[in-house]
Amino acid sequence: MCQNLKQLTPVDLNEVWETEPQHFTPWLAKEENLTLLGKALGIELELEAQEVNVGGFRADILCKNTVDDSWVLIENQLDTADHRHFGQILTYAAGLDASTVIWIAKTFRREHCAMLDWQNRITDERYRFFGVEMKVWQIEDSPRAIQFDVVSNPNDWVRGVSQDTQRVANQEVSERQQLMRKFWTGLREYMNDNNSSVNCPAPTTRGYLRFGIGRTDFFIHTRLASSSREIGIWLYTQGNDAEAHFRLLEEQKEDIHNEFGETLEWYELPENERSRVCLNKEDTDPLNENDWIHQYEWFTAKLERFNQVFRPRIQALNAADWIPEEDNEQLAEP
């Protein structure tokens, strides 16, 4: 049967946002829109501030990367990328000690992409520079849709391979560490190929991989434990409010288990200033490459479940809502 297909029509950015500082930047700073941008980049972003003073200048948006708690600078343009903004970006990044720089523009000239690529080549893996072209589309009178196209980005895989190659030359990487990287690389490819709703970070040589879950001081470790023949997903809360946040989540334990569909393990570790909620899969050998596809399936399904169940609860937490038991006892005294 012949389909009556419609054509996508590009929309001028200035028809959607009249100005960058008064209209586009506040729009992008909303949680749902930062999530869209983060999805395109594979980064968990949490808004810290808008229009941040840096000397006599103002940076558009400052965020936290919730995976590693590092600073992320976002600089916006509704027109074509230019030299002036590139200079501003370097100034802001230095002044704010940003590890990640995201430059958004209508279009990028080849020389500006080359500058970003060069920055990614000459800096180590702690620093990342992204160039993002922004487009808006519409089909006839339908609602408009945003598209973020990444035109320049750090190649974490190439960086990781080159660094690991150097370590191998120096006999610093064991066969096990190489196997860990191979496992995490496979997991990332599996999640991307299956359009997972969870962003998988760059692979490492460690026995765990750290995922964000939308808020600073919370993160997830996927872990491989060959000695005990198990794999697992551990949700951590840390920082000054770790105990309060853990207790508030624990108060919802029954609802969480019902929604999750499985019983989780809860561990408060006050001496380490962090606590965790765990799900483990036993009788599973992470060194058995023939079983990796099943382990990828399990990790992907359970990571998505953790995000569905915990993310909204974590974002709604307010440490001030928790009253320690000793305070409750004092309130109860006549």
Side-chain angles (χ1 to χ4, degrees), residues 28-77:
L28 182 61
K30 293 180 180 179
E31 180 183 339
E32 61 270 23
N33 300 324
L34 282 177
T35 299
L36 287 175
L37 176 61
K39 182 71 174 176
L41 301 174
I43 302 175
E44 289 273 355
L45 297 171
E46 180 181 39
L47 178 67
E48 189 71 21
Q50 299 180 56
E51 300 297 331
V52 183
N53 288 321
V54 184
F57 303 95
R58 296 171 73 87
D60 290 336
I61 295 177
L62 184 65
C63 293
K64 275 290 185 72
N65 180 339
T66 63
V67 172
D68 58 15
D69 208 29
S70 62
W71 292 111
V72 179
L73 167 68
I74 303 176
E75 184 66 12
N76 307 314
Q77 287 185 255

Side-chain angles (χ1 to χ4, degrees), residues 148-257:
F148 293 114
D149 280 342
V150 182
V151 297
S152 179
N153 63 284
N155 191 331
D156 286 323
W157 169 244
V158 172
R159 280 182 169 179
V161 169
S162 62
Q163 288 165 358
D164 280 353
T165 301
Q166 183 62 43
R167 293 192 191 104
V168 169
N170 295 331
Q171 297 183 338
E172 294 178 7
V173 174
S174 66
E175 290 185 11
R176 176 185 172 83
Q177 288 174 313
Q178 294 178 57
L179 193 64
M180 294 298 96
R181 175 173 286 282
K182 186 177 179 181
F183 182 96
W184 298 128
T185 299
L187 175 62
R188 192 184 200 190
E189 291 173 350
Y190 179 89
M191 294 178 71
N192 289 339
D193 290 345
N194 287 275
N195 298 314
S196 174
S197 58
V198 177
N199 289 325
C200 186
T204 73
T205 56
R206 297 186 293 266
Y208 64 90
L209 201 59
R210 180 163 167 161
F211 290 73
I213 194 163
R215 183 170 176 176
T216 302
D217 287 336
F218 291 85
F219 59 90
I220 287 175
H221 273 176
T222 51
R223 57 186 297 273
L224 309 176
S226 57
S227 58
S228 56
R229 292 179 56 83
E230 66 179 19
I231 60 177
I233 299 175
W234 293 8
L235 168 66
Y236 284 94
T237 174
Q238 63 181 10
N240 295 332
D241 294 322
E243 182 179 7
H245 288 153
F246 180 80
R247 292 297 187 184
L248 289 169
L249 285 173
E250 196 175 37
E251 290 174 2
Q252 306 175 58
K253 182 190 292 188
E254 184 176 351
D255 290 339
I256 287 172
H257 287 176

Side-chain angles (χ1 to χ4, degrees), residues 275-295:
S275 298
R276 65 175 184 253
V277 182
C278 306
L279 178 68
N280 294 311
K281 178 175 172 58
E282 299 177 348
D283 297 323
T284 303
D285 183 5
L287 302 183
N288 180 7
E289 295 188 44
N290 293 327
D291 189 51
W292 279 3
I293 186 62
H294 301 110
Q295 296 176 38

